[in-house]
Amino acid sequence: MVRRSPFEIGGFHIPPGTRRTVDLPVSVLSDHTPVTMSAHVIHGAKDGPALFVSAAIHGDEVIGVEIARRLLRSRKFSRLKGTLIVVPIVNTFGFLNHSRYLPDRRDLNRCFPGSEGGSLASRLAHLFMTEVVDRCDLGIDLHSAAIHRTNMPQIRVSPKAQETLAYADAFGAPVVIRSGLRDGSLRKEAQARGVDVLLYEAGEGLRFDEQSARVGVAGILRVMHALDMIPEDGVPLAEVVPVRAGSSSWERAPAGGLLRTYKTTGEMVEEGDVLGVVSDPFGEHEEELQAGQAGLIIGRANMPIVNEGDALFHIARVATPVEAESRIESLHAQLEDAAMFDEDEII
């Protein structure tokens, strides 16, 4: 039997059957502090696909960092086939400053594929593409809503990624959304290089929540099982097929004032349903915010103070609302029945 070759990344060589954290140099701060992008590589003893898991491309979307931490503590990798690369914090600058952006105010997820001699954001994007994406067959990118908003756990996949749709279903998030690719995004540029990316959205910026973390960890393990990277033993297989959604749109504040919400994420609504009421501070004037379409609420604003035109409720269109509502209830029940895991008990 021919022994696998070591996995090479950033000039490091990881032998088969071992794991290692490598620091990929990014920049040096103005005070001479070096900044790196750290990746943890688990190189299985047997052949198989290469998968990357990335988080904090937007520095304030910290739930993905927690998911990556829990994933790396899993005991499922002793019989790993292939290679797993986990980058818990892609945008170190934003993470340290609790910011979505880089110091040059650029959104990293609009700067791919980047260039070696471009802006700071462009150089970081180029490093991630060449050292991580180009070495993999599939990726899972972890995100949350921006600050003061929250997202229901969901997977977003390219409309053209038919083969990848099976992995999106395997992930087991309550909702799978086919969403278009934006110029400069990791998903679009990775796909152009033959590497599809599942985008996981859940939770709120700068916050942890247990449900989003648990769905994320379990989902990654399910995808790894679907890729035949890990055995089925101990993997919490999904019992309900996720709801599939097509287009989505935001319902916006009809006026500025104080928002009282009547609906939340995970609820089905009909066209004309009252989602909330915006009142002036004196209580003299109120305006109802009604759903402009039927669908599933997949995201909403958390702040009670709103300006006219603010995006408040994100509603996804689903083909069969009654069936979708039943599936969502079953998925929530499945999560409630699942065992709770503390710091040292990872799925």
Side-chain angles (χ1 to χ4, degrees):
M1 178 174 156
V2 179
R3 182 176 172 82
R4 290 192 80 195
S5 299
F7 188 82
E8 183 179 352
I9 180 171
F12 297 92
H13 294 79
I14 296 91
T18 66
R19 57 195 295 171
R20 177 175 180 176
T21 298
V22 298
D23 296 323
L24 306 172
V26 174
S27 179
V28 177
L29 297 179
S30 55
D31 67 350
H32 202 63
T33 301
V35 178
T36 62
M37 181 177 71
S38 299
H40 190 86
V41 180
I42 305 175
H43 190 41
K46 296 182 179 180
D47 288 333
L51 171 73
F52 77 79
V53 175
S54 55
I57 279 181
H58 295 135
D60 60 352
E61 297 180 4
V62 298
I63 186 63
V65 184
E66 171 65 3
I67 292 169
R69 183 193 72 81
R70 295 188 185 198
L71 178 69
L72 288 173
R73 290 177 61 86
S74 171
R75 300 170 184 172
K76 293 294 301 175
F77 305 136
S78 59
R79 292 182 284 168
L80 178 70
K81 296 178 183 177
T83 306
L84 174 65
I85 306 175
V86 180
V87 185
I89 304 169
V90 178
N91 179 2
T92 303
F93 303 94
F95 183 79
L96 292 175
N97 291 296
H98 305 167
S99 170
R100 178 183 182 89
Y101 305 106
L102 284 143
D104 57 8
R105 296 299 299 168
R106 283 181 169 87
D107 182 335
L108 180 58
N109 211 25
R110 299 293 178 268
C111 295
F112 290 96
S115 64
E116 192 172 6
S119 66
L120 177 60
S122 185
R123 294 177 189 218
L124 179 54
H126 174 75
L127 176 69
F128 189 80
M129 291 295 292
T130 55
E131 292 292 350
V132 179
V133 175
D134 286 348
R135 288 175 163 79
C136 292
D137 303 295
L138 182 72
I140 301 175
D141 192 27
L142 308 174
H143 287 259
S144 76
I147 57 172
H148 307 318
R149 291 182 182 172
T150 187
N151 278 336
M152 176 184 182
Q154 59 197 256
I155 283 287
R156 298 182 185 179
V157 64
S158 166
K160 297 181 180 179
Q162 292 293 336
E163 196 173 314
T164 311
L165 194 58
Y167 298 128
D169 286 341
F171 192 99
V175 185
V176 173
I177 302 174
R178 292 194 178 194
S179 61
L181 301 176
R182 294 190 176 185
D183 290 341
S185 68
L186 170 61
R187 280 204 300 150
K188 182 170 183 177
E189 298 305 327
Q191 189 180 82
R193 300 192 186 198
V195 182
D196 275 334
V197 176
L198 300 177
L199 190 149
Y200 176 63
E201 284 272 4
E204 179 185 356
L206 296 177
R207 297 288 185 272
F208 285 173
D209 75 90
E210 186 63 22
Q211 184 188 64
S212 296
R214 290 164 62 195
V215 172
V217 176
I220 295 169
L221 292 176
R222 291 182 188 125
V223 171
M224 293 184 71
H225 171 62
L227 288 165
D228 196 32
M229 296 179 71
I230 58 176
E232 183 178 345
D233 301 345
V235 175
L237 299 181
E239 299 173 6
V240 182
V241 178
V243 173
R244 289 190 184 178
S247 58
S248 63
S249 61
W250 281 91
E251 300 295 345
R252 297 181 177 274
L258 306 177
L259 172 68
R260 305 195 307 277
T261 59
Y262 299 152
K263 301 289 186 180
T264 190
T265 54
E267 290 190 54
M268 297 294 300
V269 294
E270 297 293 332
E271 182 178 351
D273 281 356
V274 178
L275 306 174
V277 173
V278 179
S279 307
D280 72 275
F282 303 100
E284 297 173 345
H285 180 71
E286 291 189 344
E287 285 201 42
E288 291 183 344
L289 172 62
Q290 297 182 344
Q293 63 176 27
L296 174 67
I297 299 176
I298 59 172
R300 70 174 181 86
N302 288 334
M303 286 286 285
I305 304 167
V306 301
N307 296 307
E308 185 173 350
D310 282 355
L312 301 183
F313 289 88
H314 194 189
I315 301 177
R317 297 177 181 88
V318 294
T320 53
V322 175
E323 182 182 352
E325 187 169 21
S326 175
R327 286 191 195 174
I328 293 297
E329 290 175 357
S330 297
L331 285 160
H332 281 312
Q334 181 178 313
L335 285 170
E336 290 295 330
D337 291 341
M340 294 289 287
F341 293 89
D342 66 22
E343 182 97 353
D344 297 311
E345 292 180 308
I346 309 303
I347 295 174

